Amino acid sequence: MIEDKIIVNNVSKIFNMYNSPIDKLKEAFSLTGKVRHSEFYALTDLSFSVKKGEILGIMGRNGAGKSTLLKIITGILEPTKGKVEVSGRISSLLELGTGFNMEYTGIDNIYFYGTLMGFTKAQMDQKLDDIIKFAEIGDYIEQVVKTYSSGMFARLAFSCAINVEPEILIVDEILSVGDMRFQAKCFNKFKEFKKNGVTILYVGHDVSMMRTFCDRCLWLNDGKLVAEGDPTYITAQFTEFMYLGDNEEFTLYKKFNVEKKPDDKDNSEDDQHQDEIGEKNREIKIHPPKITDNKFGECLAHWGTNVGLITEVRLLDEQNLEKNHFEPYEKMRIKICFKDIPDFEHEYFSVAFSIKNKEGTDLIVKTTYDEGITIGMQEIHTVEFEFRPMLAKGEYYLVVALENRENLNPTYFEYIEGIKYFKIFSDKKIFGVYDVDALIKIDNE
């Protein structure tokens, strides 16, 4: 039986929120115990476990409670209620450079970090070269850290965190450290950790990263668990929520509202009023998405502002036969039929499709808008895309969408992810994901 490395059991975290520092001081020295704060539930009754070697992704909009959860798991914060059990050495990329002394050199800080992690000087001597090599800051390693650029500081801290043999690695949206080559090194290191059975918690908003990297995914909203399960399914629902959900408020925190009556005394406890505020803040509003069950069958996600416009989607070959398997070099036709939106400026209307692999990565994307094609006004439209997929042998799925391209970021009248699934068969070995049609010249002179 695979052991649980992390167990989170009914964890809640409540912060007391004050309108001003003076209110906190008045409450602390109040002889009557008058309450001058409101309670903000950053986490509410959260429970889950993570097994050894599992990579768990955690998603949620800003203010959902992700960082608070990780700080509780790493011991930076204590839960207000509930319990967290952690088995194994944790290395955290939660707050890079925690414990570094800005007056020490890079070398000194490497040894200092190792001491905090429980390693002896002799053990750190053995790790020193690997940490310096991975950080790639050259001779600056001998200079005091306060002279480093932010990128150099992050590289050194990152290198320390991943080279101390962690059993549990916690990563919180810090993979933008350094240039592209350095980021590639970081991802390769994570793949090495995964192979060696290191348990990893990854927090981020990158859907492709979640689908490619994680075994399981949690979705948090306003401190509560909305859903957990397969990363492809959870990220599809989270994407829908971020487009269509009620996201105006950053958090549900409300200022403490003191409603005084003319005869109220300053030392009144106002317990009943505070209880009402507490209960109000406990009402976490979650609007989970729903999959539309319709003529298209079971899709990963189906949503939009005008769901129902698309009436038919067909995947055809050159002979107009509907298929779910193709060769890389034969023509594929995607036929999309949809109803018109009479009151919309059609110059911004776009029909789009995407072909994704099983990890949800976009491999082929085409839109009428980006090709300079304007959709005219008529009751029913039919748009057809024809191309040779040139994809390697494997399984893929189709996304179709009707877009509003009036602004920089598209919005969607209708978006269907996983409307068709198909396979590519090939006798030719394609080593990448796409086989480009290249002209090869050989000069024998």
Side-chain angles (χ1 to χ4, degrees), residues 165-349:
E165 301 171 10
E167 296 176 68
I168 301 169
L169 181 66
I170 296 180
V171 186
D172 185 10
E173 299 182 285
I174 48 73
L175 295 180
S176 59
V177 173
D179 55 27
M180 185 176 178
R181 188 173 67 86
F182 187 77
Q183 291 179 41
K185 284 180 60 177
C186 295
F187 284 119
N188 287 335
K189 191 69 174 180
F190 290 154
K191 290 178 183 177
E192 179 185 326
F193 282 150
K194 182 175 183 178
K195 184 178 179 181
N196 294 335
V198 175
T199 300
I200 301 176
L201 266 62
Y202 171 71
V203 168
H205 294 98
D206 188 333
V207 169
S208 178
M209 176 68 177
M210 285 284 178
R211 293 177 174 183
T212 304
F213 187 58
C214 300
D215 301 313
R216 187 162 56 99
C217 191
L218 300 183
W219 171 16
L220 299 183
N221 189 58
D222 294 331
K224 297 185 75 174
L225 180 62
V226 178
E228 65 175 304
D230 177 76
T232 300
Y233 174 78
I234 298 300
T235 52
Q237 305 315 304
F238 176 71
T239 302
E240 174 183 351
F241 170 77
M242 291 303 291
Y243 271 104
L244 300 180
D246 180 14
N247 291 314
E248 283 101 16
E249 294 188 78
F250 181 71
T251 71
L252 290 180
Y253 160 62
K254 298 292 187 296
K255 292 181 70 174
F256 182 71
N257 185 18
V258 180
E259 298 177 356
K260 286 190 176 183
K261 297 178 182 179
D263 58 345
D264 280 349
K265 295 182 180 179
D266 189 56
N267 62 354
S268 62
E269 296 185 14
D270 202 11
D271 290 335
Q272 183 177 356
H273 179 65
Q274 177 58 25
D275 289 341
E276 291 173 357
I277 291 177
E279 288 302 322
K280 182 178 180 181
N281 284 330
R282 291 188 188 97
E283 294 174 2
I284 308 297
K285 297 179 180 179
I286 297 177
H287 306 283
K290 53 186 178 181
I291 296 179
T292 305
D293 293 322
N294 54 25
K295 57 182 175 292
F296 299 123
E298 186 176 345
C299 305
L300 279 172
H302 186 177
W303 50 272
T305 58
N306 296 68
V307 169
L309 291 177
I310 297 176
T311 59
E312 183 183 31
V313 176
R314 301 182 70 191
L315 198 57
L316 307 167
D317 65 5
E318 196 170 5
Q319 284 72 45
N320 207 38
L321 297 175
E322 195 154 7
K323 293 172 58 174
N324 61 2
H325 59 279
F326 295 84
E327 294 181 9
Y329 313 104
E330 71 171 305
K331 286 185 179 180
M332 176 186 289
R333 294 164 55 215
I334 298 171
K335 183 178 180 181
I336 305 169
C337 301
F338 56 94
K339 293 179 285 189
D340 193 49
I341 302 180
D343 298 328
F344 184 71
E345 293 290 339
H346 283 65
E347 63 178 304
Y348 299 114
F349 189 92

Side-chain angles (χ1 to χ4, degrees), residues 334 350-356 360-368 370-371 385 387 391 398-399 401 403 405 412 415 434:
I334 298 171
S350 181
V351 183
F353 83 87
S354 167
I355 291 177
K356 297 175 179 280
T361 303
D362 286 313
L363 302 177
I364 300 175
V365 178
K366 278 291 179 182
T367 76
T368 56
D370 294 307
E371 296 299 321
F385 298 89
F387 58 97
L391 292 169
L398 177 67
V399 179
E403 302 176 326
R405 298 296 293 272
Y412 295 92
Y415 181 99
Y434 183 82

Side-chain angles (χ1 to χ4, degrees), residues 103-157:
E103 300 296 330
Y104 289 0
T105 67
I107 294 287
D108 293 336
N109 271 296
I110 291 173
Y111 282 99
F112 185 51
Y113 183 85
T115 301
L116 293 177
M117 294 297 294
F119 290 98
T120 65
K121 184 179 184 302
Q123 289 173 317
M124 291 307 296
D125 285 340
Q126 296 176 352
K127 302 177 187 298
L128 183 63
D129 288 343
D130 289 338
I131 293 174
I132 294 174
K133 183 178 179 181
F134 197 95
E136 295 181 345
I137 60 174
D139 292 339
Y140 280 98
I141 197 71
E142 302 287 353
Q143 303 300 313
V144 293
V145 169
K146 69 180 181 181
T147 65
Y148 288 7
S149 68
S150 58
M152 292 166 57
F153 180 84
R155 280 170 176 253
L156 179 60

Side-chain angles (χ1 to χ4, degrees), residues 439-443:
L439 176 64
I440 302 175
K441 296 182 179 181
I442 300 175
D443 188 353

